[in-house]
Amino acid sequence: MSWVEEGAASAPHEFGKLGTGHDRHLARTAQGRAYLLYGDTVFASNDGGISWSENKFASMPEPADVYQQALAANDRELFVVSGKTLFQSKDEGRHWQQVEQAGQESPVLTGIAGRSPDLKMAPDGTLLALGNIAVSQRAFASKDGGRHWEELRFGLPPDAAFILRTFGPDPDAMYFFIRSAPHKGPLFRSLYRKGVDGSLSEMRIDPFQGMLTRSVNGRIYALGFDGAAIHESSDGGQTWLPVSRDAIIWH
Amino acid sequence: MRLNKSIFSLCVIAMTAGATPPPIPARPQIANIQALPDGALYAVVNARGLYRPAEGGAWKQLIESAGMGAGRRFTPVAAMNSSSARMSLARYIVRATVA
């Protein structure tokens, strides 16, 4: 395999203003689009970050506090929450419509744990509204574009406090990092995977994994929290073998 | 290259929650991994570059870190007929460089 260079990627200046909290404001899609939300502007790139366009919201009904905003996207639609208002775009961010909430219990209206929710797209296209991962996370799902919401437990044990994560621009699963009881041992006690087919299984691996990815041949790769080791599983996460890195010359 | 932001966030949580922070690795950290539709696993190794595990436990360096650090995008020629593979890896490198 050889490589050819395509161009130089950059990020809008506003990206740097977001600091470490930019995960709520940055979304990438399976077909290579990238979006960045900052205040009343959505920056969009169709070439992986080489060039960017700006699209301002024609009307945002409240002052835009970047710390109460979040963006989620796939290749069909984009969603932005700003304060207590949800917007949807079906043309790559050029035009936006406000999504009316069907009930007063909507996480968009109430917030979660005192903050506007984070937005994510589940692998099956469901829109997720997630609470702060610093506390016991609550998760809500909408299958009608953000109008109706339902709080979900995803089949996890009733007492399991979790952190929901997906990995990469085209996630194939949701992962649930299950917290230990407060003040008892390591932060996480187990890790579950819920695939697109809806099956939920416990990963028989140390839950301190920073990244998980699955290949087309069904192998799951896990990168340790400290970046020191990769493990692979060919049986859905029940048994794992380390991927050797001894052949790299380390200095 | 800076530590992946998501990993960083979990590190912060782990430390603020009183858990033992991860040990400092004795060798360069693997910053990110991604399995692509061509079936291969790719890994970005801090201060080294982009690698692909090969047969027999060996690793092949595909791009040196000096070439990635400037935010440049690369396409694996062998996967040109797979737009998904090409774009996934391109965005992956973009993510690593703009962070």
Side-chain angles (χ1 to χ4, degrees):
Chain A
M1 178 181 290
S2 60
W3 295 73
V4 295
E5 187 169 345
E6 291 188 331
S10 64
H13 176 70
E14 285 76 3
F15 181 84
K17 298 179 182 177
L18 294 169
T20 58
H22 67 237
D23 273 356
R24 289 170 60 97
H25 303 80
L26 181 67
R28 297 164 297 145
T29 74
Q31 294 183 15
R33 297 184 178 90
Y35 299 100
L36 175 69
L37 169 68
Y38 189 86
D40 63 353
T41 305
V42 170
F43 300 86
S45 173
N46 282 323
D47 53 18
I50 294 176
S51 62
W52 295 83
S53 62
E54 291 184 29
N55 296 290
K56 284 189 177 295
F57 283 82
S59 61
M60 193 169 273
E62 53 198 300
D65 176 357
V66 297
Y67 299 106
Q68 297 290 334
Q69 292 187 310
L71 166 76
N74 59 24
D75 286 305
R76 295 185 303 278
E77 54 192 346
L78 287 80
F79 292 92
V80 161
V81 64
S82 182
K84 297 182 178 180
T85 308
L86 181 68
F87 298 92
Q88 181 187 35
S89 171
K90 294 185 176 180
D91 59 1
E92 302 179 16
R94 285 185 285 273
H95 300 89
W96 294 88
Q97 289 186 324
Q98 184 172 334
V99 180
E100 298 296 334
Q101 298 302 292
Q104 290 302 312
E105 71 282 5
S106 156
V108 173
L109 298 177
T110 64
I112 305 176
R115 189 182 186 192
S116 179
D118 191 6
L119 298 180
K120 296 289 180 197
M121 303 300 293
D124 66 356
T126 299
L127 179 62
L128 300 174
L130 305 173
N132 191 338
I133 63 173
V135 297
S136 183
Q137 189 180 47
R138 297 173 67 192
F140 295 78
S142 173
K143 291 184 178 297
D144 64 356
R147 289 164 182 77
H148 294 82
W149 294 91
E150 178 185 10
E151 184 166 8
L152 296 183
R153 293 282 310 167
F154 305 98
L156 294 166
D159 63 338
F162 62 84
I163 291 176
L164 189 166
R165 294 194 67 199
T166 59
F167 298 96
D170 189 17
D172 67 297
M174 293 183 286
Y175 290 91
F176 300 90
F177 294 78
I178 308 299
R179 292 172 177 269
S180 301
H183 312 298
K184 288 188 177 179
L187 179 59
F188 302 120
R189 59 182 164 93
S190 58
L191 172 62
Y192 285 79
R193 179 182 190 275
K194 192 176 184 68
V196 177
D197 62 359
S199 61
L200 179 71
S201 60
E202 184 175 358
M203 306 277 98
R204 304 287 181 185
I205 191 172
D206 180 341
F208 276 79
Q209 302 299 320
M211 182 162 294
L212 295 116
T213 180
R214 186 174 186 268
S215 69
V216 287
N217 58 16
R219 293 189 179 211
I220 302 173
Y221 295 93
L223 173 63
F225 196 58
D226 57 5
I230 301 171
H231 287 79
E232 66 177 335
S233 172
S234 57
D235 60 3
Q238 299 307 299
T239 59
W240 297 82
L241 290 172
V243 176
S244 170
R245 43 186 309 204
D246 293 338
I248 300 177
I249 299 174
W250 308 101
H251 299 285
Chain B
M1 186 185 308
R2 294 171 59 186
L3 188 65
N4 176 276
K5 294 298 182 189
S6 298
I7 299 175
F8 175 79
S9 298
L10 289 178
C11 282
V12 170
I13 293 170
M15 288 184 282
T16 55
T20 304
I24 298 173
R27 50 190 182 181
Q29 287 181 314
I30 299 170
N32 211 325
I33 59 173
Q34 188 168 347
L36 294 189
D38 66 357
L41 175 69
Y42 295 84
V44 169
V45 180
N46 281 344
R48 291 293 179 274
L50 178 67
Y51 286 81
R52 174 177 178 162
E55 294 296 323
W59 287 60
K60 181 180 181 182
Q61 186 182 47
L62 304 170
I63 304 174
E64 293 184 9
S65 60
M68 297 171 58
R72 297 204 291 268
R73 285 183 16 163
F74 294 85
T75 296
V77 175
M80 284 288 279
N81 59 356
S82 170
S83 60
S84 178
R86 176 167 57 89
M87 297 310 296
S88 291
L89 190 60
R91 285 195 316 287
Y92 165 70
I93 292 174
V94 169
R95 161 92 184 234
T97 51
V98 299

